[in-house]
Amino acid sequence: VKRPALTSAAPPLAFEQVLDALSDPVVASDESGKVLYLNAAAEGLLGWSAAEVIGKPLTTIMPARLRPAHEEGFRRFMATGRSTIVGRPVRVSALQRDGSEIDVELTLSELRPETGRLLMVAVIRDLRDRVELERKVTAQRKILAQYATVAVIADATDATTAMPQLLKAAATALDWEIGIYWEKDSASNQLRMSAAWSSGSPLVDGFVTACRSLTFAPGEGLPGMVFQSGQADWSRNVRTDPRYLRGRLALAHGLCSALAFPVYTRDRTWGVLEYLSKTEEAVDDELRQTMTVLGFQIGQFLARLEHEVDIRRALARAEAERRNLETLFENAPAAIAIVRGPELRYELSNAVNQELAGGRQLVGKTVREALPELEADGVTAVVRSVYDTGKPFVAREYAVTAPATDHRPARRMFMNGICQPLRGPNGAIEGAMIFAYDVTDMVASRQRVEEAEERLRLALESAELGTWDYDPQSGAIQCDASFRRLFGLRPDGEMNTKRLMSAIRMEDRPGVEEAARRSFDPHGGGGYVAQYRTVGIDDGVERWISVHGRTFFDEQGKPHRFVGTGVDITREKVALERERFLAEATAVLASSFDYGTTVASVGKLAVPTLADGCAVELLPEADEPPLLIVEHASSPQAERLREVWRRSSPDPTSPLKIDHVVSTGQPTFIPDVSEQPGIRSAMILPIKVRDRTIGLLGLFQAESGRRYSASDLTFAAELARRTGAAIENARLYDQAKRAVGIRDQFLSIASHELRTPLTALTFLLSTVSKMVARGTPATGPDGDKLAERISRMRDQIGRLNTLVDDLLNVSRIATGRLSLNLEPMDLVELVKDVLNRLNDVAEHANSRMTLRAPESLKGRWDHDRIDQVVTNLVGNAIKHAAGTPIDVEVGCDDNIARLVVRDQGPGIRESDQKRIFERFERAAPPALAGFGLGLWLVKSIVDAHNGRVEVASTPGNGARFVIELPIDTPT
Amino acid sequence: MNTFVLVVDDDEGIRESLCDLLEDEGHHAVGAANGKEALDILRANDRPCIILLDVMMPVMDGPAFRAEQLKDPALSDIPVAVITAAGANAATSIQPEALLLKPVSAESLLDVVDRFCPRI
């Protein structure tokens, strides 16, 4: 084909031949925009033959979308000579003959050959290879950006340091100059820069500085538009884009393209990330998608951080609770210590224990290192044996050496207590708890008894003695005034042996007679020693007397004279009896770690020694029920006394003033009770624990006719004090045992649950980073694998989020922050939603779910919370009863909505049925994991709605959970 | 040359990521969701150079699996590495050849596997 000449009127020009020979494609047009020339290389590239296009408009070889811009630019150039593209390479698309587009770079120049006609000549370069290469690089960069973002998120702990890193990660991966995070300010509802990254050139930094003072309302500028629409958007050339409000600013700082995308989670847009580059960048849908995913990941990260702030608060509260527990331990009047590990290392030692240890540093050291003295006392061996065998050791009056300090010498002490094993969640022994209290004073009081006996002996020797002289043969008796007083006889009162004998207390008489018989036995030594009580013949006063005497015999061996002395030992004897009583009381009270038993033993101690009847009442405590124990020698009397106590207790006008003792903590002392039949004398004492009245001790005299004196009150107060200490010790021991158990169990479950997704994440991150390091391409099977692993990382992050949410719910409810958002809603619709959502899980577990429900059931409830309730119950049924059908039923009675979830799984033992609603409890084996919070949450939410939750189950026959909610929950 | 590794863990996330990690290193990794599945695989397949074993699992847990393994002379000398989040005490009854506490790093896990599964 003969190529038409460039200028139809003239012969071919010299440069035309040059163009023909060029290997680069060339196209030329005239000033009207018609094609004049097309060289062979151009024919080859575009597929058009010269004959087909010459004479046609240039737009013939352009895609339709470029035509208006071309015509406008061409016209302007012809009219004004100004052009944005003449003289420099431009990237455009060209239209091939077969209708497909190819990327080309063209350099446009104007030529004025001799004819004087203007020619526009374009030299074209095929960019297809380069574009393909760039596409690959871009794809690689996108993966890199995503990986870098995930890597930052995985390590980050707060947004302030993480955001610039996130901006940098994506910007450097994608080769952008600047990254800005526009965060929504909740107060002003404006977008404001909260973090930025730039490549560091001073020019570019100036742009960031200028943006710092700017704000955008939603819908305003590129950030505002993206924020409002929630869709990624970009501007290829911000200098000319009217939507881009900072065009001039960008121009001044040498910036050209901008890309913005939202940072969002499912229910919230957090802000907008904006990236700018110096060069004009094309943004394709794929990049937009990548950025949307990144925006979601960053959004989830921000949500996680916000949760973590809550978690930190929750942990702080847990820490405060732990401190409370420690305060309890610290202030306990008993020594408490926890040792862990086979080396028996102290983990906790409270103030009393520290004091015992002479103030030495114990925590962190082993028992052997910290207290070598205990080896000799055998304590170390005891703790070791508890750790090794798991058998608790109960110590009674166990002697230990408290080490010397600067202020006091080493001392011998006696302790009561228990050392018991601490077990981990799997039952293995992990340590031991030592709980002990000082009973040195009890042992000392026994010693005081012995001392008192010694004092008594001395008193006898020094006291004013009464004397007698008796002639057994005539029966005549001579006594002095002192001896008469011992029997309550007036100096002039009639006196004979019969009368004296009648003054001796009936129960003491056999002893006296036996002592006299032995003294009259000629084969014995004639000695006579006795102690007995007399009741004054003339004054009615009871006395303790002690007598020493001797019988003298005649030659026939018959007793002919019986002489001796007597002394009043009442004071010493009573003191001794009381001391003995208290020593016994302390021992009995300390013999049990169960406070019910402790309380019962007080009554048994008091009757009949101290009282004819006794009542011990424990006031109701937060987690302890009230307790009343009445003791009396005869049971009908005990019943009568119980009735009197019950009636008087709340009655402020009662002579016993029980009410008054509770409110003031002061005892009532009524030596003569007149208004209360059946009671002669009474004392009511408060039982106190660290100045708080926790109970009452009532002591009564009735049929014995005895009457309380002021010294009895002091004595009874001491008994009440020891009772209080014993009850406190028993309770404290119980609390300490429970608290340690709950804390350890929860910590181990929580750490197990959190470690599982973390482990999976660690492995995934390792494989993904190795793939990226190897330069794994984005496409093909390896690219798919990479994408799949990143998606699995996202699943594990989701799992962590769920666990964190669970913990959050616990802390909200535990601190009373569960507020309901009541709104009219349809329970049936909600249940259907939940069942739909769980359908996949149920199918996976091979469980068929059926729903029996009316068309709708409307009421006022908190939609999201009730959703949690239903999800938990149905989810539990699927989890614990996999493979069996699950029936859900919704119904209504009067004003009560009812939801029933029934499964046919293994069921729940009766003993577990109440427990499963407690925090951190579960009936299932540990392998069916979770925090054990689900049912507790269900109960808390239902309770908050004033509803009820019940479970009925027989093991082996499935479980049936019933929730009842008032249709209109009162606010 | 034997690079067959058996991974026994009830958690799908851990099982799959662990298998990926091992496969990427050139091992042939097979997962089992509990001790019983693991025994079925062991009896139907080649002998692994190591078994990576979780402790708490439904159906048959780690200690029960170990007891069964030791009873079977064909399986008893296959080394076992316990991977657990429950602390070192959890593995006392298993007496494993190696113990890894979750969260375990990929490096230390691969170290253990390399020790028992030398590649030529």
Side-chain angles (χ1 to χ4, degrees):
Chain A
V1 179
K2 170 80 181 91
R3 205 179 303 278
L6 265 183
T7 50
S8 51
L13 299 168
F15 75 89
E16 204 168 327
Q17 287 159 357
V18 177
L19 295 183
D20 274 341
L22 264 184
S23 61
D24 281 335
V26 177
V27 177
S29 78
D30 65 9
E31 63 243 286
S32 70
K34 289 217 174 64
V35 177
L36 283 181
Y37 173 77
L38 193 72
N39 74 354
E43 282 178 324
L45 176 66
L46 300 173
W48 298 96
S49 70
E52 284 171 312
V53 289
I54 286 177
K56 301 247 174 69
L58 267 174
T59 49
T60 312
I61 56 168
M62 290 177 194
R65 62 193 155 82
L66 297 183
R67 288 172 192 166
H70 163 79
E71 279 160 3
E72 164 70 22
F74 198 88
R75 226 183 342 269
R76 190 174 58 232
F77 179 65
M78 288 305 159
T80 64
R82 279 190 285 115
S83 165
T84 49
I85 60 170
V86 171
R88 62 185 184 90
V90 207
R91 254 173 86 163
V92 294
S93 298
L95 186 66
Q96 287 179 303
R97 188 169 182 274
D98 63 6
S100 54
E101 287 181 25
I102 55 169
D103 284 301
V104 295
E105 181 184 82
L106 54 90
T107 316
L108 205 58
S109 33
E110 54 179 315
L111 287 177
R112 287 181 192 280
E114 302 88 297
T115 54
R117 286 183 68 185
L118 175 75
L119 291 182
M120 298 300 299
V121 179
V123 181
I124 302 171
R125 283 179 61 199
D126 182 0
L127 289 182
R128 275 174 299 183
D129 288 349
R130 205 171 92 193
V131 166
E132 176 61 17
L133 196 68
E134 280 175 358
R135 206 189 62 75
K136 279 185 185 158
V137 169
T138 314
Q140 195 81 7
R141 283 178 168 169
K142 282 172 208 153
I143 294 291
L144 197 61
Q146 228 168 344
Y147 165 65
T149 305
V150 170
V152 171
I153 287 174
D155 288 342
T157 53
D158 70 293
T160 320
T161 51
M163 264 338 270
Q165 288 176 15
L166 286 170
L167 288 164
K168 179 186 174 185
T172 50
L174 294 166
D175 209 16
W176 299 83
E177 289 291 322
I178 289 182
I180 297 176
Y181 178 48
W182 298 95
E183 187 180 355
K184 192 191 144 197
D185 179 52
S186 51
S188 65
N189 207 27
Q190 298 267 319
L191 292 168
R192 197 181 294 279
M193 177 196 293
S194 77
W197 177 86
S198 88
S199 61
S201 83
L203 187 63
V204 164
D205 277 347
F207 183 79
V208 173
T209 312
C211 284
R212 214 173 283 284
S213 57
L214 298 179
T215 58
F216 291 95
E220 189 186 9
L222 185 63
M225 282 190 288
V226 169
F227 183 82
Q228 197 167 53
S229 69
Q231 302 292 324
D233 202 351
W234 74 96
S235 176
R236 193 165 175 151
N237 189 339
V238 297
R239 302 165 186 182
T240 57
D241 188 339
R243 300 175 309 156
Y244 200 85
L245 304 180
R246 288 160 293 160
R248 291 171 70 136
L249 192 64
L251 178 64
H253 293 91
L255 296 163
C256 188
S257 291
L259 165 66
F261 55 94
V263 170
Y264 67 106
T265 44
R266 218 167 343 149
D267 48 356
R268 171 171 170 189
T269 303
W270 297 70
V272 170
L273 283 176
E274 182 186 33
Y275 288 96
L276 292 115
S277 73
K278 278 186 185 165
T279 50
E280 191 167 323
E281 299 284 345
V283 174
D284 55 17
D285 275 352
E286 211 182 321
L287 180 62
R288 218 149 59 114
Q289 270 169 16
T290 306
M291 289 302 148
T292 306
V293 170
L294 275 192
F296 183 60
Q297 280 175 340
I298 296 172
Q300 277 191 319
F301 161 69
L302 293 175
R304 187 190 93 201
L305 285 183
E306 211 174 65
H307 281 179
E308 277 175 357
V309 170
D310 283 342
I311 284 285
R312 267 196 287 279
R313 282 197 207 114
L315 286 179
R317 267 192 304 279
E319 173 63 16
E321 276 180 34
R322 194 184 61 75
R323 273 200 301 272
N324 282 344
L325 184 65
E326 270 181 11
T327 312
L328 175 77
F329 283 174
E330 272 312 298
N331 298 337
I336 301 176
I338 290 177
V339 295
R340 271 201 201 267
E343 69 277 29
L344 308 177
R345 198 171 286 285
Y346 278 104
E347 182 186 88
L348 183 146
S349 163
N350 75 346
V352 174
N353 199 55
Q354 284 304 112
E355 159 71 16
L356 276 178
R360 286 187 203 166
Q361 169 66 36
L362 299 184
V363 173
K365 290 191 179 156
T366 66
V367 177
R368 195 180 288 262
E369 287 160 8
L371 290 166
E373 296 87 342
L374 293 184
E375 301 253 355
D377 294 330
V379 176
T380 316
V382 162
V383 180
R384 155 127 343 259
S385 121
V386 169
Y387 182 84
D388 290 342
T389 63
K391 284 197 194 114
F393 175 84
V394 179
R396 301 256 180 257
E397 295 181 31
Y398 195 96
V400 293
T401 311
T405 68
D406 295 344
H407 315 290
R408 55 146 216 258
R411 65 199 158 119
R412 199 85 182 130
M413 300 186 67
F414 295 91
M415 308 294 293
N416 276 10
I418 186 164
C419 176
Q420 68 155 34
L422 285 181
R423 290 176 189 276
N426 54 349
I429 298 173
E430 293 181 348
M433 176 167 83
I434 300 146
F435 178 93
Y437 53 92
D438 184 1
V439 290
T440 312
D441 70 336
M442 178 186 103
V443 177
S445 66
R446 195 179 307 127
Q447 280 164 359
R448 281 201 298 277
V449 170
E450 287 155 21
E451 280 164 26
E453 276 169 343
E454 176 64 14
R455 277 204 309 279
L456 180 58
R457 204 177 53 73
L458 291 172
L460 270 176
E461 286 168 4
S462 61
E464 191 191 345
L465 296 178
T467 58
W468 85 87
D469 188 341
Y470 173 66
D471 180 350
Q473 285 164 19
S474 70
I477 185 161
Q478 300 284 316
C479 309
D480 64 5
S482 296
F483 196 77
R484 282 172 172 259
R485 267 202 299 279
L486 297 177
F487 287 79
L489 265 175
R490 285 192 301 269
D492 57 342
E494 184 201 348
M495 192 190 69
N496 53 50
T497 49
K498 203 174 160 196
R499 205 152 182 231
L500 290 180
M501 208 58 188
S502 73
I504 296 174
R505 284 267 301 247
M506 190 67 86
E507 57 266 46
D508 294 347
R509 277 180 213 168
V512 173
E513 281 162 2
E514 171 62 17
R517 204 184 48 75
R518 272 205 307 270
S519 177
F520 290 172
D521 181 354
H523 304 294
Y528 172 73
V529 179
Q531 284 183 0
Y532 49 86
R533 280 165 293 180
T534 60
V535 177
I537 296 167
D538 292 325
D539 63 9
V541 172
E542 187 177 274
R543 295 178 177 84
W544 269 99
I545 66 171
S546 172
V547 291
H548 283 244
R550 174 170 288 278
T551 302
F552 297 93
F553 300 92
D554 58 17
E555 283 114 38
Q556 288 84 41
K558 281 189 177 164
H560 76 98
R561 197 170 173 212
F562 177 45
V563 296
T565 57
V567 69
D568 186 336
I569 55 163
T570 309
R571 238 179 58 202
E572 290 80 0
K573 195 73 184 174
V574 166
L576 181 70
E577 285 297 306
R578 289 187 172 172
E579 202 66 74
R580 191 170 276 150
F581 176 83
L582 281 180
E584 188 197 346
T586 311
V588 170
L589 288 174
S591 66
S592 172
F593 288 112
D594 169 45
Y595 74 91
T597 315
T598 305
V599 168
S601 60
V602 178
K604 296 210 164 56
L605 277 166
V607 176
T609 321
L610 194 59
D612 294 333
C614 168
V616 190
E617 180 174 5
L618 289 192
L619 302 173
E621 292 266 310
D623 48 354
E624 315 275 7
L627 182 68
L628 174 62
I629 285 174
V630 173
E631 189 72 30
H632 197 284
S634 82
S635 39
Q637 299 281 37
E639 273 319 300
R640 209 163 306 144
L641 181 56
R642 183 183 290 274
E643 203 38 49
V644 169
W645 184 272
R646 279 226 187 94
R647 262 187 289 112
S648 312
S649 210
D651 178 6
T653 62
S654 149
L656 298 179
K657 292 190 195 147
I658 296 175
D659 187 46
H660 183 72
V661 179
V662 175
S663 60
T664 62
Q666 297 298 318
T668 50
F669 173 57
I670 316 148
D672 292 293
V673 179
S674 44
E675 302 101 291
Q676 187 67 60
I679 297 179
R680 159 129 199 239
S681 191
M683 297 186 284
I684 318 282
L685 300 114
I687 298 173
K688 290 186 181 180
V689 166
R690 275 178 265 145
D691 288 337
R692 196 166 52 86
T693 302
I694 61 153
L696 300 164
L697 171 65
L699 297 167
F700 305 96
Q701 300 289 28
E703 46 286 338
S704 72
R706 288 181 290 186
R707 194 172 153 274
Y708 286 124
S709 67
S711 77
D712 290 324
L713 182 65
T714 318
F715 175 61
E718 181 59 23
L719 178 65
R721 190 187 69 76
R722 293 189 189 199
T723 304
I727 290 172
E728 172 69 348
N729 278 338
R731 277 187 181 170
L732 204 65
Y733 172 65
D734 206 43
Q735 269 177 13
K737 220 168 54 176
R738 261 184 301 170
V740 168
I742 290 174
R743 184 193 68 173
D744 286 3
Q745 193 192 1
F746 174 66
L747 286 180
S748 80
I749 292 171
S751 70
H752 180 270
E753 284 307 303
L754 292 170
R755 275 174 193 160
T756 302
L758 273 177
T759 306
L761 262 180
T762 309
F763 292 157
L764 283 165
L765 193 57
S766 166
T767 57
V768 165
S769 69
K770 280 178 186 166
M771 287 182 85
V772 170
R774 280 201 303 271
T776 303
T779 50
D782 280 352
D784 291 348
K785 202 192 254 182
L786 187 60
E788 190 236 323
R789 286 178 185 179
I790 289 175
S791 128
R792 267 160 45 199
M793 288 173 81
R794 213 170 292 139
D795 293 345
Q796 297 298 330
I797 290 174
R799 223 168 127 186
L800 275 172
N801 268 338
T802 311
L803 290 172
V804 162
D805 280 347
D806 276 0
L807 278 175
L808 219 60
N809 276 322
V810 180
S811 74
R812 285 208 178 112
I813 294 169
T815 52
R817 285 195 297 138
L818 180 69
S819 57
L820 295 183
N821 179 20
L822 298 177
E823 56 187 354
M825 55 162 281
D826 184 345
L827 185 60
V828 176
E829 198 178 298
L830 183 146
V831 171
K832 282 181 181 161
D833 277 356
V834 172
L835 295 185
N836 274 335
R837 208 182 317 133
L838 293 175
N839 205 27
D840 284 353
V841 188
E843 269 179 20
H844 192 70
N846 212 7
S847 286
R848 194 175 41 78
M849 301 190 291
T850 56
L851 171 65
R852 211 141 56 97
E855 194 150 316
S856 93
L857 175 47
K858 296 209 164 86
R860 258 165 60 80
W861 303 295
D862 184 324
H863 182 279
D864 292 356
R865 295 289 176 190
I866 297 298
D867 187 303
Q868 277 179 300
V869 167
V870 182
T871 307
N872 255 308
L873 289 180
V874 179
N876 268 348
I878 296 173
K879 189 156 73 172
H880 296 289
T884 71
I886 293 158
D887 301 313
V888 181
E889 201 181 311
V890 181
C892 160
D893 261 1
D894 293 337
N895 231 8
I896 304 285
R898 180 174 296 110
L899 168 80
V900 181
V901 178
R902 186 171 30 222
D903 66 52
Q904 293 172 28
I908 302 158
R909 277 197 309 245
E910 182 146 8
S911 57
D912 290 333
Q913 288 181 11
K914 192 176 167 211
R915 198 172 57 80
I916 51 173
F917 292 107
E918 306 279 315
R919 218 182 333 174
F920 311 139
E921 293 285 6
R922 50 187 177 189
L928 286 172
F931 283 145
L933 298 172
L935 287 175
W936 177 73
L937 193 65
V938 166
K939 182 163 165 28
S940 304
I941 293 171
V942 171
D943 283 352
H945 280 87
N946 287 314
R948 251 157 32 92
V949 52
E950 260 177 17
V951 59
S953 172
T954 37
N957 269 331
R960 181 172 181 269
F961 284 85
V962 182
I963 303 288
E964 289 184 344
L965 298 167
I967 296 269
D968 193 1
T969 300
T971 36
Chain B
M1 185 169 123
N2 186 355
T3 61
F4 170 29
V5 178
L6 179 60
V7 175
V8 193
D9 197 312
D10 62 320
D11 187 273
E12 195 183 353
I14 290 195
R15 200 167 60 237
E16 286 186 352
S17 57
L18 191 44
C19 285
D20 284 352
L21 182 70
L22 293 165
E23 294 272 353
D24 282 6
E25 292 298 316
H27 299 285
H28 171 47
V30 172
N34 56 57
K36 194 173 169 317
E37 273 189 40
L39 285 174
D40 292 346
I41 291 171
L42 285 173
R43 285 170 181 152
N45 284 277
D46 288 342
R47 194 185 147 79
C49 50
I50 189 167
I51 299 168
L52 302 179
L53 182 66
D54 186 20
V55 176
M56 291 196 285
M57 290 179 288
V59 186
M60 182 189 279
D61 66 5
F65 165 81
R66 179 64 162 175
E68 286 297 317
Q69 185 211 351
L70 294 178
K71 265 193 248 165
D72 187 337
L75 308 177
S76 60
D77 59 343
I78 303 174
V80 164
V82 163
I83 306 182
T84 176
N89 282 333
T92 8
S93 67
I94 297 183
Q95 305 253 321
E97 272 75 10
L99 175 66
L100 294 160
L101 298 180
K102 288 178 193 170
V104 55
S105 76
E107 288 69 29
S108 39
L109 181 110
L110 292 172
D111 276 355
V112 168
V113 172
D114 283 346
R115 198 139 49 84
F116 293 96
C117 305
R119 273 164 296 166
I120 304 153

